[in-house]
Every structure is written in structure tokens, then in C-alpha cells.
Amino acid sequence: MQTSACIFDLDGVIVDTARFHFMAWKKLTDQLGIHFTEEDNERLKGVSRMASLEIILGIGNIKPDDCRKLEYAKLKNDWYIDYINKMTPDEILPGSLDFIYELRNANIRVAIGSASKNTPLILARVGILELFDAVADGNIISSAKPDPEVFLKAAEMVGIKPSDCVVFEDAIAGVKAALNAGMVCIGVGSSEVLTEAHYIIPGLKEMNLIKLRTIEKDIRS
Ligand code: BG6
Ligand code: MG
């Protein structure tokens, strides 16, 4: 059984946008008088915008009404968009493009599976919108990771069954989502954090087709 599709999370796997999320949330938390650290920001990886806001409000023990919450989320997103609008192709993480081209040449489908509603904007800013056979993102799903919806949707869009898909993920919630989808999951990041992933690499620079074949053979045998 060989991989027929690779599904990539976007933030933290193909581009490093966590720092922009942090900077934008920090502006909001400073306004609200909430002490918000980079360590707290780790908890927001892979988590949807509104769920991230809930975590932050929990840290500050603030309980605004729903209308105010939407206002806060919009403020944060407007600042975040200011940052991502300045992104360039140089910000694509090392090794990502080489690996994706290698997959495409081998006729393996490539898709994005991201919680972010800003996915199309980010892909366009870094110039890789056309590179993917399908983009499943926060705009078309109703259940956030660790629910498998976004990955199942990506698999459906490329016409490949879930068990023939491999997901690349940097967030705990995303690894859980991939496993819940019945897919092979390669964690991108720290082995201390992504303990549930089938295999862990520090970044896509460490991945190529031969390695992928070896890993999947071990996992699927
Ligand atoms: C995920 C990020 O990819 O997208 C989270 O890891 C973020 O930190 C989530 O909250 C939603 O992003 P957006 O762009 O829709 O606010
Ligand atoms: Mg991510």
C-alpha cells in the first residue's frame, strides 16, 4: 500500500505564522490587560480562532458577551492580516517546496488541511496557491481539529481514501485529527510534544520520497 495523497497543515509546517498570531494576540491582550506569553501561544497551535480567544480570555479570567468576543476576534484578525499581507515567498519553510515538487512528480496528490480561514490569503502571499490539488481550510469546515473533518474533506477533494493519505502536522490537536481520520501522521516539530504521531521530523527539510516510502512501509506493515 503506497501513499496516494499527502495532506499538509499550513501554519507551522509550510510557513511560520505562529509568531504573527502571537504578535496579533499580544496586541489584543495588552489592550485587555491580560498577561499573555509565548508559552501561552503554544496552546493556540492548531486551535481555531474563536477557541484560541476562549483560551486567552480564560487566562485573563475575563468573561465578555458573545458580541464583544466577535469584536475581539475581528480586531486580532485585522492585525494578523496586516502581518501576513507583508509575507513573501522567502518565508516558506526550508525543504517544503522541494518535497512537494517531488511528490507531484511522483503523481502523489498534495493538499492543504488547515484550521485557518486565512489559508487562501497566506498561500497567495507566498506564491504557492496553484501548487496544491486541493485546499481544505477553516472556511469550509464546521468542526475544528482534533475533529478529523478538515483532513477527511481534503482526502475527498483529491479523491483518495483516508487510509492512503499521510498528514504532516505540527500541532497536538492536528495530530489527533489525522489519527481520528484514520491517516498516517508525520509530526513536524518536537518529539516531546507530538508524542502521538506515527513518526516525527524536525521540519520538511528532513523529508523526501524515499524516506516517506520507508516510513509508511514500517507503519502500515
Ligand atoms: C491554525 C493555527 O492553523 O489556524 C492557529 O495554528 C489559528 O493558531 C488557526 O488560531 C485559525 O487561524 P485563522 O487564520 O483562521 O485565525
Ligand atoms: Mg499548524
Side-chain angles (χ1 to χ4, degrees):
M1 182 80 56
Q2 289 201 327
T3 305
S4 303
C6 283
I7 306 174
F8 296 87
D9 172 52
L10 177 64
D11 295 317
V13 172
I14 293 184
V15 286
D16 175 21
T17 42
R19 63 206 165 98
F20 299 135
H21 279 296
F22 176 68
M23 284 151 71
W25 283 125
K26 185 80 186 142
K27 277 196 181 193
L28 182 73
T29 51
D30 282 353
Q31 279 197 4
L32 298 179
I34 298 173
H35 181 66
F36 176 62
T37 65
E38 292 206 40
E39 204 176 26
D40 296 326
N41 196 53
E42 287 299 307
R43 292 169 58 195
L44 310 183
K45 282 189 179 170
V47 177
S48 72
R49 192 181 309 163
M50 292 313 286
S52 298
L53 178 64
E54 291 295 349
I55 292 173
I56 284 168
L57 294 173
I59 294 169
N61 202 16
I62 293 178
K63 295 183 180 70
D65 61 25
D66 287 352
C67 191
R68 192 48 68 85
K69 283 182 192 172
L70 288 174
E71 204 179 285
Y72 291 159
K74 185 181 179 317
L75 262 179
K76 182 266 173 178
N77 195 52
D78 287 348
W79 287 317
Y80 179 62
I81 286 176
D82 285 345
Y83 293 126
I84 57 178
N85 261 330
K86 295 189 189 97
M87 287 179 83
T88 68
D90 289 346
E91 290 177 69
I92 297 173
L93 288 168
S96 316
L97 287 186
D98 286 346
F99 181 50
I100 292 168
Y101 286 132
E102 199 183 6
L103 294 172
R104 289 182 62 100
N105 287 337
N107 216 15
I108 294 173
R109 300 275 179 277
V110 287
I112 289 283
S114 167
S116 173
K117 294 185 174 181
N118 291 301
T119 296
L121 176 61
I122 295 170
L123 291 176
R125 290 305 309 165
V126 300
I128 54 172
L129 193 52
E130 309 301 325
L131 202 57
F132 297 92
D133 298 301
V135 175
D137 65 19
N139 298 295
I140 59 167
I141 55 159
S142 47
S143 305
K145 299 171 184 177
D147 189 284
E149 184 183 3
V150 75
F151 293 134
L152 292 175
K153 189 79 199 165
E156 186 192 316
M157 288 165 88
V158 292
I160 302 293
K161 62 178 195 292
S163 56
D164 290 345
C165 296
V166 173
V167 169
F168 291 84
E169 248 295 347
D170 74 315
I172 297 169
V175 170
K176 286 185 194 297
L179 299 181
N180 288 338
M183 299 176 179
V184 168
C185 184
I186 299 185
V188 181
S190 149
S191 51
E192 278 152 39
V193 179
L194 305 172
T195 49
E196 289 183 54
H198 289 110
Y199 190 89
I200 294 154
I201 52 171
L204 289 179
K205 206 166 186 283
E206 263 54 59
M207 189 47 61
N208 57 52
L209 192 51
I210 294 175
K211 198 164 174 182
L212 178 67
R213 295 290 189 223
T214 311
I215 295 168
E216 68 184 329
K217 205 170 146 219
D218 285 353
I219 295 167
R220 289 180 166 136
S221 61

